[in-house]
C-alpha cells in the first residue's frame, strides 16, 4: 500500500488564515470530484471559517472524559474506517487529551498517512520544536505544544500562509480572530508589531531553508553540476593567515549587495595529520564570519584548488573570494598558485574575486605543523633526480667530456646524490648512490663496459663514494625528520596551550570544543559518549558534524576516557602520533562536561534557594503586612454592622475612610507582589518607544500628596526609549519610598537632566539616609532598611522599581544626598532619533 501524501499550511502567526486556506483547497478538490472529509477542524467560533465547513463531510469526533469535563478529539478509527482520499486535520501540534489513541495529533496523522490516506494539515511557525527558545525570547511565551521539525520537513508540500503585521492586527481589531474581550490584551502582548514581524521573518527563513534543501536534493538526483544562481552564495577561501579577516569582511560586503546573500568561509587542510594553520587564527576567523552572519566549514583535501571548487559547486555558490598570493616572485616558478588555478578552472558560472591585502608578496612562510614534511611534488622530483639524474649525467660525460677523470666523475655523481637527498629524502638518495656506483663502474672505471675493476684504488674510491652518498642522504633525511618533529611539537603545544587557556577561563562550551577537535584533525563528526555502567546503553553528551556515531564501535577513532566515557570520531583513521593530542582533547572535553553539569546543578540550587527565600518572605509578609489592613477593614465593617451602637454620620464616614485606606493598602501590596512575581518568572516584556519624561513623571506622582514633591523636568529634555507603563510604575515606587522616609516639612525633589547619551532622573530626599554597605541590599525583595516598621509595605517597592528599570534598558542605584538623605539615580537611554545636545565650547566660555 502506497503511503499517503502530506500537505501542510504553515502559518507565520495565529490568525493569518491557515484553516481558511485549507478549507478552500478542500472545496476545490471536492469540485474536482475528490473524496474529501473533515477529520478534525477547529473554527474557534470565527464566522468566516465556520461558513467554510458548510458543504464538507465531517467525520464525528470521539468524546473523552477528563477531570470531570468532556472533550472531543479526532476519532482515528472512524477516519480509517471511512477511508477518504483526503482527510483534513487541523492543528498538527495539538496535544491529545489523556486516554486518546496517541499523545500527539501528528502521531495520528502518521497513522493516516501509513494507511494510504492523503492529509492536509496546518501548523504555526512557533510550534516547531527547534524554534521554541527563539519564539520564547521574542514573545515571552513558551509554546508547550510542539511538533518535531522532521515531521514538517517530510511533508510532500509546504505552503506558507503569510500576512503583514498591520493587516493581521486590523483583522484582530475587527474581531475576526479572538473574542472582543481578548482583543486588547492580545494586541498589547503577543500581537505586537515587533513580535509579528519577527515571527514572519522566522517563517520565511525556515521555508527558504526547506526550499534550499529541496533544490540541493533535486540537483543531486538529476546530477546537475552547473551552478544555479538562485541567490548569491559567496565562498571565502581561507589559508589560516592573517589576510583571512580582510577576505571575510570583503565577502560580507559583497553579500549585502544582494538580497538573501550568504557567506561560507572554508578552510581546506590536507588529509595527513594536523592542520597547517594556526588554530588561534582560525578560531578568530571562525568567530568573525559567524558574527557577520556566515558559516565556517572545514574540508579535507590534498588538491586545494580541486577541493575548493568541489565545495563551491556542492553548495551551489555563485562567487569565490580569494586573497592574492603571499608568495614571492621567484616562488611562482613552482606553479601558478591556488588563485590562478581556481580562476582558470572555475568555468563561466562561478565568479572568482582576487582581493589584495597587506600580506601580498611577503612570502608564504612555513606551515606551523608541517614545515619539513616532504610533499608529493618533492618526492617526485627526488626520484627523478635519484634515478634519471645519474643516467643523464652519464650521457653528458660520455658524449661531451669523456676525459674528465674518475675523481671528477665521482664528485659529479656525488653532487647528484646530494641533490636527490635534498629533494626526496633518504630513499631517492640511496637509489641515486646505487645507480651512480653501477654507472661509474660500467662507463668510467677501467676496464669500461664491464663490472670488473682492475685497479684496487678504484675499488676504494667507489666504496668511499657509496659511503659518502649514503651518509649525506641519511643526514639530510634525519634533519628533515627532526625539523618535522619540532614543527609538529610546536603545533601541538600551541593547540594545547590555547585549548587549556580557553577551558580554564570557561570560554569554551562542549560543542565548541568538539568542533575544535573536528577541525584540528579534519574529521567528519565528533561525539562524546557516556553510559552509567558497563551494561548500560551509550548516550550522546554532545556532538558536532554529520551523522555522529552512537556507539564507540562504529567510530573510526575512539578514545576511552575513564570507564564510562569515550570520544568517538568518524572520517578517517588517525596515525598514532595524532592520538596524543586527541587524548588531551578528550580529557578536556570531560572537564568541560563536568563543569557544565556542575554549573547546571548550581543554577538549580540557586533557583531553589531563591525560591525558598522568596516563599519564606512572602509567608512572613502575608502573615503580618497583609493581615494588618485586613484587621482594620474587618474592625470597621464589624462596627458599621453592629446593631447596638448608633453611629453618627461623621463616625460612619471615618469608618468608611478606614475601610478605603485599608483596601488601598491591600491593592498596593498585592500589586507589588504580582509585579515581583512577573520579574521573578521573567514574563515582563517591555514595549519600548519614544517617550517624553514630562508626560510620564507627573503621572507617576499621583499616589503621593501634592505638596510633598517638587518637580524639575524641563520640556526641552531629549526623548527616551522606554516602556511608559513600566517607567511610570518604577518612578512611582521610588517617589513613594522617598516621601515615606522624608521629614514631614521637607519636600522630595524630582529632577531630570540630559548627560551625554542618557537622561538621568534624580529623586532626592532628606531622610535618614542609608549606609554604603546597605545601598545594594535595599533593592532586594522583602527588604526594609533596619526592619523599620514605618510604612505599610512588604519591602518590594524598590526591588520592583529596579526590575522594571533594568527591563527597559536603564539602571537604578542609590547615592548619598549632600547634607544628609538619599538620592535615587535613574538612568535611561536617550532616543536614537534625538542626538545628545552639543558639548559647550569651553574655550569660548573662558574668553567671555
Amino acid at each position: 500500500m502506497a503511503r499517503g501524501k502530506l500537505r501542510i499550511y504553515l502559518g507565520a502567526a495565529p490568525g493569518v488564515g491557515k484553516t481558511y486556506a485549507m478549507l478552500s483547497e478542500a472545496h476545490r478538490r471536492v469540485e474536482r470530484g475528490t473524496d474529501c472529509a473533515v477529520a478534525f477542524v477547529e473554527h474557534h467560533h470565527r464566522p468566516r471559517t465556520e461558513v467554510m465547513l458548510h458543504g464538507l463531510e465531517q467525520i464525528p469526533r470521539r468524546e473523552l472524559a477528563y477531570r470531570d469535563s468532556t472533550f472531543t478529539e479526532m476519532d482515528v478509527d472512524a477516519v480509517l474506517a471511512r477511508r477518504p482520499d483526503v482527510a483534513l486535520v487541523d492543528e498538527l501540534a495539538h496535544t491529545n487529551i489523556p486516554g486518546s489513541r496517541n499523545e500527539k495529533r501528528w502521531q495520528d496523522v502518521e497513522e493516516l498517512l501509513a494507511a494510504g490516506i492523503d492529509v492536509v494539515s496546518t501548523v504555526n511557525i512557533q510550534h516547531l520544536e527547534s524554534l521554541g527558545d527563539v519564539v520564547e525570547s521574542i514573545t515571552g511565551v513558551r509554546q508547550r505544544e510542539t511538533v518535531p521539525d522532521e515531521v514538517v520537513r517530510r511533508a510532500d508540500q509546504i505552503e506558507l500562509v503569510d500576512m503583514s503585521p498591520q493587516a493581521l492586527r486590523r483583522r484582530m481589531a475587527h474581531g475576526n480572530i479572538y473574542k472582543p474581550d481578548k482583543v486588547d490584551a492580545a494586541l498589547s502582548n503577543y500581537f505586537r508589531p515587533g513580535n509579528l514581524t519577527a515571527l514572519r521573518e522566522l517563517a520565511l527563513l525556515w521555508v527558504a531553508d526547506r526550499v534550499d534543501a529541496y533544490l540541493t536534493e533535486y540537483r543531486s538526483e538529476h546530477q546537475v553540476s552547473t551552478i544555479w544562481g538562485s541567490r548569491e552564495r559567496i565562498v571565502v577561501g581561507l589559508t589560516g593567515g592573517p589576510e583571512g579577516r580582510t577576505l571575510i569582511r570583503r565577502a560580507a560586503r559583497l553579500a549585502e549587495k544582494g538580497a538573501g546573500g550568504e557567506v561560507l568561509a572554508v578552510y581546506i587542510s590536507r588529509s595527513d595529520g594536523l592542520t597547517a594553520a594556526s588554530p588561534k587564527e582560525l578560531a578568530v576567523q571562525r568567530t568573525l564570519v559567524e558574527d557577520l552572519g556566515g558559516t565556517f566549514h572545514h574540508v579535507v583535501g590534498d588538491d586545494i584548488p580541486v577541493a575548493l571548487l568541489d565545495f563551491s559547486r556542492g553548495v551551489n555558490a555563485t562567487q569565490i573570494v580569494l586573497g592574492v598570493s603571499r608568495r614571492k616572485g621567484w616562488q611562482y616558478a613552482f606553479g601558478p598558485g591556488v588563485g590562478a588555478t581556481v580562476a582558470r578552472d572555475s568555468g563561466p558560472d562561478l565568479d572568482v574575486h582576487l582581493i589584495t591585502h597587506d600580506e601580498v608578496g611577503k612570502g608564504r612562510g612555513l606551515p606551523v605543523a608541517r614545515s619539513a614534511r616532504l610533499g608529493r611534488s618533492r618526492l617526485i622530483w627526488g626520484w627523478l633526480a635519484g634515478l634519471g639524474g645519474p643516467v643523464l649525467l652519464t650521457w653528458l660525460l660520455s658524449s661531451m667530456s669523456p676525459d674528465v677523470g674518475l675523481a671528477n666523475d665521482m664528485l659529479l655523481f656525488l653532487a647528484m646524490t646530494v641533490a636527490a637527498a635534498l629533494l626526496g629524502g633518504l630513499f631517492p638518495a640511496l637509489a641515486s648512490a646505487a645507480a651512480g656506483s653501477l654507472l661509474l663502474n660500467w662507463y668510467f672505471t677501467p676496464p669500461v663496459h664491464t663490472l670488473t675493476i682492475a685497479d684496487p684504488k678504484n675499488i676504494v674510491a667507489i666504496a668511499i663514494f657509496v659511503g659518502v652518498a649514503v651518509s649525506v642522504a641519511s643526514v639530510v633525511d634525519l634533519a628533515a625528520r627532526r625539523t618535522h618533529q619540532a614543527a609538529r611539537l610546536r603545533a601541538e603545544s600551541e593547540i594545547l596551550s590555547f585549548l587549556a587557556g580557553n577551558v580554564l577561563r570557561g570560554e569554551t562550551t562542549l560543542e565548541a570544543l568538539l568542533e575544535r577537535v573536528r577541525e584540528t584533525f579534519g574529521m567528519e563528526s565528533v561525539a562524546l559518549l557516556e553510559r552509567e555502567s558497563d551494561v548500560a546503553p551509550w548516550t550522546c553528551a554532545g556532538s558536532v558534524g554529520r551523522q555522529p556515531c552512537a556507539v564507540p564501535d562504529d567510530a573510526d577513532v575512539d578514545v576511552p576516557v575513564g570507564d564510562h566515557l569515550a570520544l568517538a570520531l568518524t572520517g578517517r583513521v588517525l596515525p598514532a602520533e595524532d592520538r596524543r593530542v586527541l587524548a588531551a582533547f578528550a580529557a578536556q572535553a570531560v572537564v568541560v562536561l563536568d563543569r557544565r553539569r556542575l554549573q547546571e546543578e548550581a543554577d538549580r540550587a540557586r533557583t531553589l534557594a531563591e525560591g525558598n527565600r522568596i516563599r519564606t518572605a512572602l509567608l512572613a509578609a502575608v502573615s503580618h503586612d497583609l493581615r494588618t489592613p485586613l484587621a482594620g477593614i474587618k474592625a470597621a465593617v464589624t462596627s458599621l454592622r453592629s446593631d447596638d451602637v448608633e453611629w453618627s454620620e461623621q463616625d460612619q464616614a471615618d469608618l468608611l475612610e478606614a475601610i478605603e485606606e485599608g483596601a488601598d493598602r491591600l491593592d498596593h501590596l498585592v500589586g507589588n507582589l504580582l509585579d515581583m512575581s512577573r520579574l521573578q518568572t521573567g514574563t515582563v516584556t517591555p514595549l519600548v518607544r519614544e517617550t517624553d519624561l514630562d508626560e510620564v513623571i507627573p503621572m507617576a506622582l499621583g499616589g503621593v500628596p501634592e505638596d510633598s514633591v517638587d518637580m524639575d523636568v524641563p520640556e526641552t529634555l531629549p526623548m527616551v526609549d522606554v516602556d511608559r507603563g513600566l517607567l511610570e510604575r518604577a518612578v512611582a515606587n521610588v517617589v513613594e519610598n522617598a516621601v515615606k522616609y522624608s521629614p514631614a516639612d521637607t519636600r522630595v525633589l524630582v529632577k531630570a537632566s540630559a548627560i551625554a547619551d542618557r537622561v538621568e532622573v534624580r529623586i532626592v530626599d532628606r531622610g535618614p539616609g542609608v549606609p554604603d554597605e546597605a545601598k545594594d541590599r535595599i533593592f532586594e525583595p522583602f527588604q526594609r532598611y533596619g526592619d523599620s516598621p514605618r510604612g505599610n509595605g512588604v519591602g518590594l517597592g524598590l526591588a520592583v522599581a529596579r526590575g522594571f528599570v533594568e527591563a527597559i534598558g536603564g539602571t537604578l542605584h542609590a547615592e548619598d544626598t549632600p547634607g544628609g538623605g538619599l538620592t535615587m539615580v535613574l538612568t535611561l537611554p536617550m532616543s536614537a532619533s534625538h542626538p545628545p545636545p552639543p558639548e559647550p565650547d569651553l574655550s569660548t566660555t573662558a574668553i567671555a
Side-chain angles (χ1 to χ4, degrees), residues 450-465:
T450 66
L451 294 178
T452 302
I453 301 177
D455 191 349
K457 295 180 180 179
N458 292 337
I459 298 177
V460 175
I462 292 179
I464 293 174
F465 163 76

Side-chain angles (χ1 to χ4, degrees), residues 60 65 112 150 161 199 224 261 417 447 481 484 513 552 561 596 609 714 754 810 831:
L112 300 183
E150 186 59 29
V161 183
L199 291 174
V224 179
T417 301
R481 286 189 285 111
H484 166 63
L513 180 62
V561 188
R596 185 179 73 178
S831 173

Side-chain angles (χ1 to χ4, degrees), residues 79 160 203-204 312 355 387 463 504 530 615 620 664 757 771 843:
V79 178
L160 178 64
L204 291 170
S312 301
I355 308 299
L387 297 178
L504 292 176
E530 64 175 344
R615 283 191 290 270
D664 289 340
D757 59 346
S843 60

Side-chain angles (χ1 to χ4, degrees), residues 305-320:
V306 172
L308 181 60
L309 289 172
D310 289 344
F311 174 83
S312 301
R313 294 191 173 98
V315 298
N316 201 30
T318 57
Q319 302 180 54
I320 297 178

